[in-house]
Amino acid sequence: MKEDKAFVKEMTPQSEDFSRWYIDAIKKADLMDYTPVRGCIVFKPDGFELWERIQEAMDKRFKETGHRNAYFPMLIPESFFQKEKEHIEGFNPELPWVTEAGGEQLEEKLALRPTSETIIGHMYAQWIQSYRDLPILINQWANVFRWEKRTMPFLRTSEFLWQEGHTAHANEEEARQETMQMLEIYREVVEQELAIPVWKGQKTPSERFAGAVDTYSIEAMMKDGKAVQAGTSHYLGDKFARGFEIKFLDRDNQFKYVHTTSWGSSTRLIGSMIMVHGDDRGLALPPRMAPTQVIMIPVGPMKLRDQVMVAFDPLFDEIKAAGVRVRADLREETPGWKFNEWEMRGVPLRLELGPRDVENGQAILARRDTGEKITVPLEGIAQTIAQLLEDIQQNMFQKALAFREAHSHLGIDTLAQLSAHIEKCENENTLSGWVLAGWCGDDACESKVKEETKFTSRNIPFEPPAQKSVCICCGKEAKHTVWFGRSY
């Protein structure tokens, strides 16, 4: 069957302009649309279903570890932000404010939440009286606002969707265990469900969350070599507890401040999934995330369509009954046109059924990840499809992992070497990727790397592929081994 190349021609190649490719891909896959409000988008059904699948994967794990969902107000009084100075300084440039309602000026202006530590801290102070009230393990699924100057759909928008967990504990040990537990949940979901390999590690002080004692992240590499912070978990110590007077009476009848954590991931995971797996034909979605896992398309002459549909409809029902998210495309466009459209939408598996296939008791399955076409018997096809979807899931993770390893550089130890590496990549139009380097711990050295190369520290990986002994900037003894790279 000759394929219609129209969709491919309309897609900007990744090598030509990756950002333009990304916009082309999400628009042509009908995931979102722009709105009249700057930096805000509409999640169309396929785009929102991707978020629902991420929600489902995470929410299940949250509840298995004892967390429950709640909801807190979107509007936060200005005075709440003053109670934790570092927090307001970190978010103030991005805050949109409500100053008027019902035609009258408000006595106190209200922020549209950039995050909920302050309002939740205020409520926890009312709810926590004794050690018997601890721990509090709450998550909320919500929208937040950060007035971004440069936006990109799903990755960075003025309003976005996320989850934010906020917990309170009797001591530091329990709070730190919670922080690391949630970071591991993020890693598990992103690697197992989204098929994106990540590095777990600790953020440097300059990159940690405003008001946190320690921030930890998972970092993912996109196909343009840039990094996305795919999830963060923060140990807040008793900073917010002191600011909001969150105290409890311990077993010895002594008042103590709680230790708190917060952790979050957002719809930028959708953008990350697209950028990690997509190609010049458009989206390529991991089966566990794909809104449609199998698209069924009848082929062959229209005069023989009734003969095909006799087998097509029961086959559809059988596959659907097996729990597969399957759709049938019965539109009048040519099969080649349909093939390209569903490839562009990233559907993992295509099933073609024609008159000769019906006669021979077989169907053709085409994989989105490899382009391979396989002829399989109709008998037991639901089980065959289930196994193929799992194979595709694993293959997509391995391809992403191989890409990350190919663009991770372990032999660059000085700023001069890094600058030369970047210049060489720019001249050859290749990706500069990430660099594993030593860092002495001085903020000035970290800042100099950023100023001269636009590479920022991503995190200090818990299990780096190598240990670095000298600082990439000053040449002194390295206290940390750090991933550096450009980021979104």
Side-chain angles (χ1 to χ4, degrees):
M1 182 69 65
K2 187 176 180 181
E3 296 186 356
D4 187 335
K5 302 296 182 183
F7 285 107
V8 181
K9 291 179 180 177
E10 292 175 9
M11 191 82 63
T12 303
Q14 291 183 343
S15 59
E16 181 180 311
D17 186 336
F18 191 81
S19 295
R20 185 69 254 169
W21 165 85
Y22 175 75
I23 299 299
D24 288 349
I26 60 178
K27 286 287 289 178
K28 293 179 186 301
D30 206 30
L31 299 185
M32 53 72 63
D33 204 353
Y34 295 101
T35 73
V37 181
R38 178 188 168 278
C40 296
I41 64 171
V42 172
F43 286 72
K44 299 188 81 172
D46 272 2
F48 193 74
E49 188 167 337
L50 289 172
W51 180 233
E52 288 180 312
R53 302 230 161 266
I54 293 169
Q55 277 187 299
E56 182 182 0
M58 287 193 175
D59 205 57
K60 176 178 179 288
R61 290 165 172 84
F62 294 165
K63 288 172 179 171
E64 286 173 349
T65 48
H67 300 82
R68 300 189 68 194
N69 291 327
Y71 185 81
F72 295 83
M74 181 191 305
L75 299 173
I76 302 176
E78 181 183 24
S79 58
F80 281 23
F81 289 95
Q82 308 304 328
K83 294 183 179 183
E84 214 298 312
K85 183 180 178 183
E86 190 178 343
H87 189 67
I88 184 60
E89 287 176 352
F91 280 107
N92 199 42
E94 301 174 335
L95 288 179
W97 295 96
V98 176
T99 59
E100 182 181 322
E104 298 181 1
Q105 290 292 120
L106 299 179
E107 291 184 9
E108 180 179 6
K109 64 181 183 179
L110 305 171
L112 298 179
R113 65 168 162 243
T115 179
S116 299
E117 277 76 8
T118 57
I119 185 69
I120 291 177
H122 173 83
M123 300 310 301
Y124 281 7
Q126 320 303 312
W127 300 346
I128 297 171
Q129 307 298 327
S130 159
Y131 68 89
R132 296 182 182 87
D133 300 321
L134 297 171
I136 289 185
L137 307 175
I138 284 181
N139 174 66
Q140 82 164 343
W141 296 95
N143 60 341
V144 291
F145 295 83
R146 298 179 187 175
W147 210 247
E148 299 283 357
K149 294 180 180 179
R150 295 175 61 250
T151 62
M152 182 173 284
F154 298 125
L155 282 177
R156 192 174 293 278
T157 50
S158 296
E159 178 194 20
F160 57 93
L161 307 178
W162 79 347
Q163 59 74 213
E164 50 178 322
H166 299 271
T167 69
H169 305 263
N171 55 57
E172 177 177 349
E173 181 182 4
E174 288 181 12
R176 286 194 175 276
Q177 287 176 352
E178 165 78 6
T179 305
M180 302 313 294
Q181 173 184 248
M182 304 320 292
L183 187 70
E184 173 58 17
I185 285 177
Y186 289 150
R187 182 208 63 77
E188 184 178 295
V189 169
V190 174
E191 291 198 338
Q192 293 183 5
E193 309 294 332
L194 281 70
I196 300 175
V198 296
W199 285 106
K200 283 200 310 181
Q202 182 173 1
K203 285 289 194 181
T204 63
S206 69
E207 294 286 331
R208 69 187 170 207
F209 178 70
V213 175
D214 289 308
T215 289
Y216 304 89
S217 72
I218 54 171
E219 303 284 333
M221 183 185 290
M222 306 298 102
K223 268 195 175 174
D224 62 350
K226 290 185 179 179
V228 166
Q229 182 177 281
T232 52
S233 188
H234 317 284
Y235 169 60
L236 305 178
D238 62 7
K239 285 187 174 185
F240 284 87
R242 291 180 181 274
F244 288 87
E245 288 296 306
I246 314 174
K247 294 180 179 179
F248 70 100
L249 197 63
D250 72 5
R251 294 177 184 274
D252 299 323
N253 288 321
Q254 301 292 316
F255 278 105
K256 291 183 179 178
Y257 288 106
V258 299
H259 289 250
T260 62
T261 79
S262 69
W263 27 275
S265 62
S266 75
T267 42
R268 68 168 31 199
L269 286 174
I270 297 174
S272 301
M273 184 165 47
I274 294 164
M275 286 187 167
V276 167
H277 300 302
D279 57 27
D280 286 347
R281 300 192 71 82
L283 268 58
L285 297 174
R288 294 180 189 173
M289 288 288 106
T292 301
Q293 295 174 311
V294 176
I295 183 67
M296 291 179 59
I297 300 175
V299 299
M302 283 301 297
K303 62 183 180 182
L304 299 178
R305 180 58 51 87
D306 289 345
Q307 176 184 331
V308 172
M309 296 309 295
V310 168
F312 190 96
D313 290 338
L315 191 60
F316 177 92
D317 293 339
E318 178 187 343
I319 294 169
K320 184 177 181 180
V324 176
R325 296 188 293 277
V326 58
R327 291 175 66 180
D329 190 340
L330 304 179
R331 293 174 295 175
E332 294 182 359
E333 282 83 357
T334 66
W337 189 94
K338 295 177 186 180
F339 293 172
N340 278 292
E341 182 179 13
W342 292 106
E343 283 186 359
M344 180 188 67
R345 289 174 175 264
V347 174
L349 202 58
R350 182 176 74 242
L351 186 153
E352 305 167 20
L353 188 70
R356 186 173 298 174
D357 298 315
V358 174
E359 287 179 13
N360 295 331
Q362 65 185 32
I364 295 173
L365 297 176
R367 294 175 56 148
R368 175 64 178 86
D369 61 329
T370 63
E372 179 185 8
K373 282 192 171 187
I374 312 161
T375 300
V376 299
L378 294 181
E379 186 176 352
I381 197 169
Q383 291 73 25
T384 302
I385 285 173
Q387 184 58 57
L388 268 176
L389 290 173
E390 185 57 29
D391 290 347
I392 293 169
Q393 181 81 24
Q394 299 307 320
N395 183 56
M396 291 181 74
F397 178 82
Q398 291 301 324
K399 283 174 66 176
L401 181 61
F403 179 89
R404 187 188 73 177
E405 299 307 297
H407 296 90
S408 297
H409 304 282
L410 311 184
I412 295 174
D413 295 312
T414 68
L415 198 52
Q417 289 175 347
L418 177 56
S419 297
H421 166 72
I422 294 170
E423 183 178 3
K424 181 175 184 289
C425 291
E426 289 175 348
N427 290 337
E428 297 177 355
N429 196 29
T430 56
L431 303 181
S432 53
W434 296 5
V435 170
L436 190 70
W439 176 52
C440 64
D442 189 334
D443 289 347
C445 283
E446 185 182 3
S447 296
K448 188 174 181 181
V449 173
K450 181 178 180 179
E451 289 167 8
E452 294 195 9
T453 68
K454 295 186 173 62
F455 272 44
T456 56
S457 63
R458 302 320 309 146
N459 66 19
I460 303 166
F462 297 145
E463 298 178 353
Q467 291 287 347
K468 294 293 185 171
S469 59
V470 296
C471 177
I472 189 172
C473 186
C474 67
K476 295 180 181 178
E477 181 181 356
K479 292 182 180 178
H480 307 284
T481 297
V482 181
W483 281 116
F484 285 91
R486 291 177 178 165
S487 68
Y488 282 98

